């Protein structure tokens, strides 16, 4: 596994904090809030890297404005 860059590490930390607050996140929201267009990659980092505690994050498909998108949230 390659080491995440410092930039993606800070994105990972911010995304994890956001999800821990009980909110859900889509790719478009991640782009505007955290500047990442690769939310699925950031979620993968969180789920597989021990530095983040390997949180349980679920993905589900939701309809937003007539489009199907992935939405990520912490498993409670």
């Amino acid at each position: 596994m390659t080491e995440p860059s410092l930039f993606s590490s800070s994105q990972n930390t911010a995304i994890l904090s956001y999800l821990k607050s009980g909110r859900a996140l889509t790719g478009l929201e991640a782009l505007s809030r955290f500047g990442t267009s690769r939310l699925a990659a950031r979620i993968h980092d969180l789920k597989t890297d021990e530095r983040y505690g390997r949180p349980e994050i679920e993905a589900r498909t939701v309809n937003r404005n007539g489009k199907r998108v992935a939405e990520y949230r912490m498993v409670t």
Side-chain angles (χ1 to χ4, degrees):
M1 179 168 95
T2 60
E3 288 295 315
S5 72
L6 184 58
F7 186 65
S8 64
S9 266
S10 63
Q11 286 176 337
N12 291 345
T13 302
I15 289 168
L16 181 58
S17 177
Y18 185 84
L19 293 174
K20 280 184 173 180
S21 73
R23 296 176 280 187
L25 188 62
T26 66
L28 188 57
E29 292 166 339
L31 180 59
S32 67
R33 290 181 187 276
F34 308 110
T36 182
S37 59
R38 302 189 62 224
L39 179 58
R42 302 291 68 85
I43 297 297
H44 175 77
D45 290 346
L46 293 173
K47 291 170 85 172
T48 58
D49 193 328
E50 290 182 17
R51 290 179 291 176
Y52 304 108
R54 294 188 176 171
E56 283 193 58
I57 301 171
E58 69 178 0
R60 64 184 186 134
T61 304
V62 297
N63 289 315
R64 295 278 169 95
N65 300 321
K67 306 285 184 189
R68 293 180 349 160
V69 297
E71 178 183 80
Y72 298 90
R73 67 177 56 240
M74 297 289 293
V75 175
T76 55

